[in-house]
């Protein structure tokens, strides 16, 4: 709540108490109310479906472990985007996204890479294989090197995707 102006802090607390049925609100309720108030003052969402973005996890514990990962915008909301990563979909506030400004062809390449990693990845894989796939999910380029491509192809054959 400290990110809000004093008047907004009071508004947020009263709204959170109201949402909690007149009781002391949970931290989650307060956080959601504060987020909504902060979003009202933000610029409009300019992201587009299929755009590739980097996830910025700073100050958002829900994105822990996703910082630096890339995601592909699958839904554009008013103050957030739903992004698909190699291991799931996440709704991410605009302040936690940064566009890579890829060309449409590069975005298509990233979609193919994302789909391939998603089909292969599983928590039952050996740790070293999981780490390799996770590292592909953090690439800061829109292509795989020759060796990365070969390794991913071997995994696809081995796992029979």
């Amino acid at each position: 709540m400290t990110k809000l102006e004093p008047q907004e802090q009071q508004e947020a607390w009263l709204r959170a108490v109201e949402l909690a049925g007149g009781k002391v609100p949970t931290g989650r309720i307060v956080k959601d109310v504060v987020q909504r108030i902060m979003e009202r003052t933000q610029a409009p969402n300019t992201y587009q479906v299929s755009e590739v973005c980097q996830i910025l996890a700073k100050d958002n514990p829900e994105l822990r472990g996703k910082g630096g990962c890339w995601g592909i915008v699958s839904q554009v909301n008013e103050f957030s985007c739903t992004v698909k990563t190699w291991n799931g979909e996440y709704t991410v506030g605009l302040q936690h996204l940064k566009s890579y400004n890829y060309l449409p062809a590069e975005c298509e390449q990233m979609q193919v890479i994302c789909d391939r990693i998603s089909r292969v990845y599983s928590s039952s894989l050996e740790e070293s294989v999981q780490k390799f796939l996770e590292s592909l999910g953090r690439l800061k380029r829109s292509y795989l090197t020759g060796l990365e491509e070969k390794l991913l192809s071997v995994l696809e054959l081995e796992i029979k995707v």
Side-chain angles (χ1 to χ4, degrees):
M1 286 192 23
T2 58
K3 297 176 184 177
L4 301 176
E5 296 296 322
Q7 180 182 343
E8 292 173 321
Q9 289 177 7
Q10 183 179 7
E11 176 190 344
W13 182 254
L14 293 174
R15 178 71 180 130
V17 169
E18 180 184 325
L19 288 172
K23 299 177 182 163
V24 176
T26 64
R28 181 77 198 148
I29 290 174
V30 173
K31 181 180 175 187
D32 288 345
V33 170
V34 169
Q35 184 68 32
R36 278 190 232 128
I37 290 172
M38 289 175 61
E39 287 174 352
R40 310 193 284 232
T41 60
Q42 290 179 342
N45 190 342
T46 58
Y47 289 99
Q48 298 177 14
V49 171
S50 300
E51 187 170 355
V52 180
C53 301
Q54 181 180 28
I55 297 174
L56 309 171
K58 185 178 182 202
D59 298 329
N60 188 338
E62 294 173 14
L63 295 174
R64 193 177 323 262
K66 296 289 163 229
C69 289
W70 50 265
I72 300 166
V73 176
S74 60
Q75 181 178 338
V76 177
N77 308 309
E78 193 172 359
F79 299 107
S80 65
C81 290
T82 301
V83 294
K84 180 182 178 192
T85 66
W86 53 273
N87 72 338
E89 279 197 332
Y90 302 89
T91 299
V92 181
L94 300 182
Q95 71 276 24
H96 296 289
L97 288 175
K98 178 183 171 190
S99 178
Y100 278 119
N101 295 314
Y102 285 159
L103 298 171
E106 293 172 312
C107 290
E108 289 175 25
Q109 285 176 272
M110 293 301 284
Q111 182 65 58
V112 170
I113 292 169
C114 184
D115 291 343
R116 290 177 69 194
I117 296 170
S118 295
R119 284 192 300 268
V120 173
Y121 188 85
S122 156
S123 58
S124 63
L125 291 171
E126 295 171 22
E127 183 181 0
S128 59
V129 176
Q130 286 180 28
K131 295 295 182 194
F132 167 70
L133 293 170
E134 290 171 17
S135 72
L136 295 181
R138 295 182 188 279
L139 292 177
K140 293 181 177 28
R141 53 183 154 79
S142 62
Y143 60 90
L144 298 177
T145 65
L147 184 55
E148 290 165 344
E149 176 65 41
K150 286 178 187 175
L151 289 171
L152 185 53
S153 294
V154 166
L155 288 173
E156 288 170 324
L157 286 171
E158 188 68 27
I159 296 171
K160 295 175 180 48
V161 183

